[in-house]
Amino acid sequence: MTYDLLIRNGTIVDGLGGEPYVGDVAVRDGVIAAVGAVNGSGTREIDATGLLVTPGFVDLHTHYDGQAIWSDRLNPSSAHGVTTVVMGNCGVGFAPCRHDDHDVLVDVMAGVEDIPGVVMTDGLPWSWETFPQYLDALDAGRRDIDVAAYLPHSPLRVYVMGERGANREPATAEDLAKMRALAKEAIEAGALGFASSQLATHRTDHGQQIPSYQAADDELLEIARGIADGGGGLIQFVPDLPAGGYQPVLQQVFDAAADAGLPVTFTLIAMNAGDPTWPDAVTMIEKANANGTEVTAQVFPRPIGLMIGLELTANPFVLYPSYQEIAGLPLAERVAQMRKPEVRERILADKPGGEPANPIIYMAQAFDWIFPLGEDANYEPDPANSIAARAKARGVSPLEEAYDRLLDDDGHAILLGALANFEGGSLDTVGALIRRDESCWAWATAARTTE
């Protein structure tokens, strides 16, 4: 038998939970026709010996809302086996949007996802106003992989309420009715569902809370009802940090989903230290699912936190006036300055000169949980290799150790801030959560920040 494509001798991981095995994959008319020991030949054949052969991955949590408009390649995802991406996550995006609010939504996306505003300002044609028109703009383009989009909460709120929405004022009954109608319209046009965020560290590029933060129960409920009016869809939700347990930060969206008869997916994290909060979330999921609501937790399969470096937004010295004096220099010149003993001494003796737009920048000094990443990235680093532990072994301060490690590789070095999902200094808890039936691995947050 002849096939259009025959992939031979690959290590097949079929996604069904079984052990990988060596075999063939045959394709005819764009459809997988046979898997395993395949007899026959292919018009095109690929020898996959020593390589993995998998189904295309669906990346459930990305921020390609802009890149999907201006680019025909959704890399880095499309270069790593992803064949479908979902965007609009965290309730941020670019539709619906009136002309006068373009800068507002750019400011929100730049702050939440650390995408330079100039990239979006230069790249977005803004040939749409409504969410259906945004989907039409997506349809008009060609891409290397497929996309799906949520209706994002912050743009919806600003579109309906204008400056009141951006300033997080309470929605009126008239506002809620408009949000419900627009949610229905979005679903009928092809939206996957609705996405929102209540995470306190989701800030605009200017440091304000994003429009959806602390939106009232009735607002989420009316939007959920609009999703149901349009035929149904998925609610994606980012809760606030569960300092007092998950119940206070999840019950709102669970209730809205149950009322509207919609499934919900949310980001679940495990804190590194202190009393675990994730068992509270698991109990809530089990109870909700037993009562007929379909709830799935999205679990990031590696530590959550910061990438720290001299070429990145965060490093331990970004708020220090002595560092800010040289921060605008090209990297090579900055590194040369930082290697001067007098500059080193001045920066290490300095203190923050102001507050960051996003308080998460302070975590760039959480040295117990910060590690050199290295060329062969290790996302489950030995706690003995933390900046704090390395500093103690050297007999220097953690700031000194961090300073020296940032200068490695001529300033190209990256430090991993493993600020959550690293309970007890390992990924064991994350692995256990991912293997639960009501969980899935996701939350790649993929997007190109430059073009």
Side-chain angles (χ1 to χ4, degrees):
M1 184 173 293
T2 300
Y3 299 96
D4 300 327
L5 172 65
L6 184 54
I7 303 171
R8 294 190 180 277
N9 302 317
T11 300
I12 297 172
V13 182
D14 58 18
L16 299 178
E19 292 295 320
Y21 61 95
V22 175
D24 311 321
V25 177
V27 178
R28 184 188 300 114
D29 297 328
V31 176
I32 294 174
V35 178
V38 178
N39 294 319
S41 60
T43 303
R44 179 187 177 203
E45 295 198 6
I46 298 174
D47 181 5
T49 301
L51 302 176
L52 292 177
V53 181
T54 75
F57 294 108
V58 178
D59 193 338
L60 297 176
H61 192 123
T62 78
H63 293 279
Y64 287 116
D65 309 70
Q67 188 174 332
I69 292 290
W70 68 61
S71 178
D72 60 358
R73 296 200 63 192
L74 298 190
N75 52 339
S77 292
S78 60
H80 292 280
V82 173
T83 52
T84 301
V85 296
V86 180
M87 54 199 191
N89 289 280
C90 305
V92 298
F94 301 113
C97 184
R98 292 187 172 86
H99 181 272
D100 290 345
D101 295 322
H102 292 174
D103 290 344
V104 174
L105 298 194
V106 167
D107 191 43
V108 171
M109 183 69 82
V112 172
E113 297 306 326
D114 198 23
I115 302 173
V118 65
V119 173
M120 295 174 279
T121 300
D122 291 348
L124 291 170
W126 296 106
S127 57
W128 61 86
E129 176 176 314
T130 68
F131 191 81
Q133 289 170 346
Y134 172 73
L135 293 184
D136 288 341
L138 287 174
D139 282 343
R142 293 180 60 85
R143 285 166 297 279
D144 51 358
I145 57 177
D146 294 327
V147 299
Y150 294 114
L151 171 67
H153 192 176
S154 284
L156 174 65
R157 199 169 207 274
V158 173
Y159 187 75
V160 169
M161 299 173 62
E163 187 175 351
R164 291 185 300 116
N167 292 337
R168 300 174 39 246
E169 294 181 21
T172 66
E174 181 180 0
D175 295 331
L176 296 178
K178 289 180 180 178
M179 290 186 200
R180 180 170 179 169
L182 289 170
K184 177 177 182 290
E185 176 187 69
I187 292 297
E188 291 175 340
L192 183 64
F194 164 73
S196 185
S197 170
Q198 297 273 7
L199 185 60
T201 55
H202 275 168
R203 304 287 183 99
T204 71
D205 204 32
H206 287 84
Q208 286 79 40
Q209 305 284 3
I210 63 174
S212 67
Y213 181 65
Q214 292 185 331
D217 294 1
D218 59 352
E219 184 169 324
L220 283 180
L221 179 56
E222 284 304 302
I223 296 171
R225 287 172 174 169
I227 299 297
D229 293 342
L234 179 64
I235 298 177
Q236 186 271 335
F237 186 69
V238 182
D240 206 354
L241 294 175
Y246 264 101
Q247 198 279 334
V249 298
L250 281 181
Q251 197 61 56
Q252 176 192 38
V253 73
F254 280 25
D255 288 345
D259 179 277
L262 300 177
V264 61
T265 183
F266 73 96
T267 51
L268 172 62
I269 67 173
M271 305 305 291
N272 288 359
D275 293 334
T277 54
W278 60 265
D280 186 22
V282 170
T283 299
M284 292 183 68
I285 295 169
E286 291 175 340
K287 181 179 179 181
N289 287 341
N291 291 333
T293 302
E294 183 182 343
V295 179
T296 303
Q298 295 187 15
V299 181
F300 195 39
R302 71 184 195 201
I304 300 167
L306 292 171
M307 293 296 185
I308 298 166
L310 296 181
E311 297 177 285
L312 304 174
T313 300
N315 76 62
F317 309 103
V318 290
L319 299 178
Y320 290 18
S322 54
Y323 175 78
Q324 291 171 349
E325 291 175 3
I326 62 172
L329 294 175
L331 180 65
E333 295 179 30
R334 199 174 353 140
V335 168
Q337 287 291 318
M338 292 179 70
R339 284 178 171 155
K340 294 179 178 179
E342 65 273 21
V343 174
R344 185 179 193 273
E345 181 179 0
R346 186 167 63 249
I347 292 176
L348 289 173
D350 207 353
K351 299 294 181 184
E355 295 186 358
N358 194 315
I360 199 171
I361 293 296
Y362 289 125
M363 300 307 291
Q365 291 192 6
F367 295 120
D368 285 331
W369 302 105
I370 295 175
F371 306 83
L373 192 58
E375 185 174 345
D376 296 322
N378 178 9
Y379 292 106
E380 193 173 17
D382 187 336
N385 200 37
S386 72
I387 294 297
R390 293 169 63 97
K392 184 177 180 179
R394 283 182 60 197
V396 300
S397 72
L399 276 173
E400 289 176 281
E401 175 65 16
Y403 191 102
D404 294 340
R405 298 290 68 75
L406 288 171
L407 294 176
D408 289 342
D409 193 21
D410 293 326
H412 296 290
I414 295 176
L415 307 181
L416 169 67
L419 307 180
N421 273 20
F422 202 47
E423 187 179 72
S426 85
L427 294 177
D428 291 351
T429 296
V430 167
L433 288 172
I434 288 174
R435 291 179 176 89
R436 295 185 64 90
D437 289 341
E438 65 273 17
S439 299
C440 63
W441 62 270
W443 210 9
T445 317
R448 277 284 293 277
T449 59
T450 58
E451 282 295 315

